[in-house]
Amino acid sequence: MKKIVVPVDFSNHSENALKTAAQLAKKTNASIIALHMLDIQEVNLAESPSYQQEKAIFFLKLAEKKFKTFLEKDYLKEVNVVPIIKHYKVFSEINAVGKEVNADLIIMGSHGASGLKEFFMGSNTEKVVRYSEIPVLVIKNELHDVNFKDVVFATDFSKESIPAFKKMLKTLELFNAKKHILYVNLPNENFKTTPEMDALAYQFLMEAEGNADRLINVHFVCSRSIEDGILTFSNAVGADLISTATHGRKGLSHIFSGSISEDLSNHATLPIMTFKI
């Protein structure tokens, strides 16, 4: 892990993410890319171009000053921090910046979303998870010790999720964590018997790793929703991190099929790490 992107909006949640990134950076000698998305409102057509430019420069200078103060923290003194300010609040741009600097991880603080706000708008974190091709670590609370020991990786054992599974293993090598591979069995047309789930898990691990030794860490749970199954199991085993693969669906596909990763990023209290399929 060499580069970590942390979106910063000057909130306590983004500072929690920054503290987490600092701990990881000290362990891996990584650099932190602190990214602020400057939210300049739409242009007023009644304003002259020169005034619009002056206003943009004013807000940029104001953000630079606030950003500098925000990054003057004791926990960042031994870390290489590179501040970046983008002029538009476009969430796909966070992914673009991450790819441009060849980042290994994006860390975001989040308070989640619920109810009508979640349905119509979603949370900022949810939007980043949806767009990001880089692994995203979502932090809900301050982590005093970033040392994940028990990780739940929720999967549907599909072939397309194998690259995400491999990336998860590589990303979490740093922690030498115990990994629980979880499949949630639902009471619908996709319900599977125990032999069917065993066969799925065996084939998945053989294709992913060339052996099925990890079957000892494979778990099957029955639940009325995938999200509830993941959260109930993670609490039962005392997990300190939940990891999932995400399709990053957008538009109508996202509305009708939803995204487990985005739901978890909104509702779970545990840290969530997502990997794009």
Side-chain angles (χ1 to χ4, degrees), residues 51-253:
Y51 179 72
Q52 293 169 15
Q53 186 177 13
E54 288 177 8
K55 188 167 70 171
I57 292 173
F58 171 78
F59 283 117
L60 178 60
K61 294 296 184 184
L62 192 65
E64 287 175 348
K65 183 178 180 180
K66 192 172 183 180
F67 206 10
K68 182 179 179 181
T69 303
F70 187 81
L71 295 176
E72 289 176 348
K73 302 291 193 308
D74 288 340
Y75 58 81
L76 292 174
K77 285 183 177 178
E78 299 174 9
V79 180
N80 180 34
V81 180
V82 180
I84 295 178
I85 295 178
K86 288 292 183 178
H87 296 187
Y88 301 99
K89 199 169 185 178
V90 180
F91 294 95
S92 58
E93 196 169 14
I94 295 178
N95 177 62
V97 171
K99 291 175 67 176
E100 183 181 332
V101 301
N102 198 26
D104 302 287
L105 185 66
I106 295 171
I107 301 181
M108 285 201 72
S110 173
H111 55 76
S114 60
L116 289 176
K117 178 183 178 184
E118 178 182 7
F119 183 81
F120 288 111
M121 297 177 8
S123 69
N124 293 345
T125 306
E126 177 184 332
K127 294 170 186 173
V128 174
V129 167
R130 192 181 310 165
Y131 284 107
S132 181
E133 298 170 51
I134 299 163
V136 180
L137 175 61
V138 180
I139 303 296
K140 292 299 183 69
N141 304 293
E142 181 178 352
L143 297 183
H144 298 285
D145 183 18
V146 184
N147 192 19
F148 304 122
K149 290 299 183 184
D150 252 290
V151 179
V152 172
F153 180 77
T155 180
D156 59 0
F157 291 128
S158 64
K159 191 170 184 176
E160 64 178 343
S161 68
I162 289 176
F165 175 70
K166 289 183 175 180
K167 186 171 281 191
M168 181 275 295
L169 294 178
K170 182 174 178 61
T171 302
L172 296 177
E173 279 179 357
L174 169 68
F175 302 103
N176 194 29
K178 181 179 181 181
K179 301 172 187 68
H180 305 273
I181 304 171
L182 177 66
Y183 179 88
V184 180
N185 203 17
L186 300 177
N188 55 27
E189 66 275 7
N190 295 318
F191 177 83
K192 292 178 176 58
T193 65
T194 298
E196 287 173 334
M197 290 187 291
D198 282 336
L200 269 178
Y202 180 85
Q203 183 178 359
F204 179 85
L205 290 169
M206 286 298 291
E207 291 190 34
E209 299 197 283
N211 66 75
D213 291 343
R214 291 183 186 271
L215 275 174
I216 191 172
N217 290 326
V218 173
H219 306 268
F220 308 123
V221 298
C222 293
S223 182
R224 297 191 183 279
S225 77
I226 294 176
E227 183 185 353
D228 286 344
I230 294 171
L231 295 177
T232 299
F233 176 82
S234 299
N235 289 329
V237 299
D240 45 28
L241 176 69
I242 297 172
S243 178
T244 65
T246 177
H247 289 86
R249 294 186 178 97
K250 308 176 187 72
L252 289 177
S253 171

